[in-house]
Amino acid sequence: MKNRLMRTFFAAWGLCLLLAACQGTEQPPASSAPAVVPSSSEASLPQTPAEPAPDVTSAPSSWPGSVSSLPSNFDEVWAENPIEAALQEELDSANNFDDITWAYIHATERWARLIPIAFEDCLSLLSPEDQEAFQADQEKWKADLDEKLQYLEDNLDKMVEGNEAAAREACELYEERAYSLCKRKFCADGVMPSFEEAMEEPEAAG
């Protein structure tokens, strides 16, 4: 029963979140997500190297600003982002594993909404030639994300804390990409993408 519920979770949410991040499509409201019953995890994503933080010294030639003038306080600004703050607030008030799972699901929804916003912001700063390379990089991330989400689903039978662990790891996948895109944008012009748009909950259909 636990694994069947988790597979429903991935079918209903993994695909919707992937589409939201890749195409900017709207996700279903959290209230319509399938119920999940958390436990504990022994299976986890393959230990592949994490995506390194973008090196501004190797940024495309059309990025605005010189290396010496680029902001150096990105991590300080990032630490104050409202998505992470909202996640921490939900985790602090969680009373059980189910609450923790939902906290990560809600954060994943917000990261998924932020990614296309940040991507378009970055794209607008590039020359046509660099835009093509940047779009190819995004396509590669989409493919990698799809494989990693599929890995989580395929390994549900090995999970003990299935729901909580899967929700947390999926959330981290989206957060890592958001971090990368936001850093590129901030290091280019000193301005973060619009977190306010990502924090807005989509209206329920119908």
Side-chain angles (χ1 to χ4, degrees):
M1 175 63 73
K2 171 176 69 72
N3 288 346
R4 184 165 60 218
L5 289 172
M6 279 302 298
R7 295 188 194 287
T8 304
F9 166 81
F10 274 104
W13 284 104
L15 178 59
C16 291
L17 291 173
L18 176 63
L19 291 174
C22 297
Q23 303 172 2
T25 55
E26 183 175 295
Q27 310 143 55
S31 59
S32 66
V36 286
V37 182
S39 338
S40 161
S41 168
E42 292 175 350
S44 60
L45 290 173
Q47 296 302 309
T48 53
E51 180 181 359
D55 181 357
V56 296
T57 61
S58 62
S61 58
S62 57
W63 283 117
S66 64
V67 171
S68 61
S69 66
L70 293 176
S72 60
N73 63 329
F74 171 77
D75 285 332
E76 295 177 14
V77 176
W78 174 263
E80 299 177 358
N81 78 75
I83 297 178
E84 184 64 31
L87 170 60
Q88 192 57 55
E89 183 177 349
E90 285 195 60
L91 291 175
D92 289 344
S93 62
N95 295 316
N96 49 52
F97 284 127
D98 195 48
D99 291 344
I100 294 174
T101 299
W102 281 110
Y104 284 114
I105 291 174
H106 296 154
T108 304
E109 292 177 321
R110 294 167 184 139
W111 291 128
R113 290 196 291 268
L114 178 65
I115 287 170
I117 295 170
F119 175 76
E120 291 299 328
D121 284 352
C122 289
L123 201 64
S124 68
L125 297 172
L126 297 174
S127 68
E129 294 77 12
D130 285 333
Q131 284 183 354
E132 183 176 349
F134 197 58
Q135 287 174 323
D137 178 70
Q138 181 73 351
E139 290 300 319
K140 181 180 183 302
W141 173 76
K142 295 176 189 178
D144 290 344
L145 174 66
D146 198 13
E147 289 182 5
K148 290 175 180 178
L149 292 176
Q150 187 63 54
Y151 179 89
L152 285 175
E153 182 176 0
D154 290 346
N155 284 272
L156 287 176
D157 291 337
K158 302 176 183 178
M159 293 186 176
V160 181
E161 292 181 357
N163 295 350
E164 181 192 350
R168 181 179 64 252
E169 292 195 47
C171 182
E172 289 172 355
L173 292 174
Y174 285 88
E175 181 181 3
E176 287 171 4
R177 184 57 176 177
Y179 176 94
S180 175
L181 293 171
C182 287
K183 185 165 187 176
R184 295 184 189 198
K185 170 68 164 58
F186 187 79
C187 288
D189 62 6
V191 179
M192 292 287 273
S194 176
F195 277 80
E196 290 75 15
E197 292 182 51
M199 291 296 292
E200 292 178 0
E201 299 294 338
E203 295 182 4

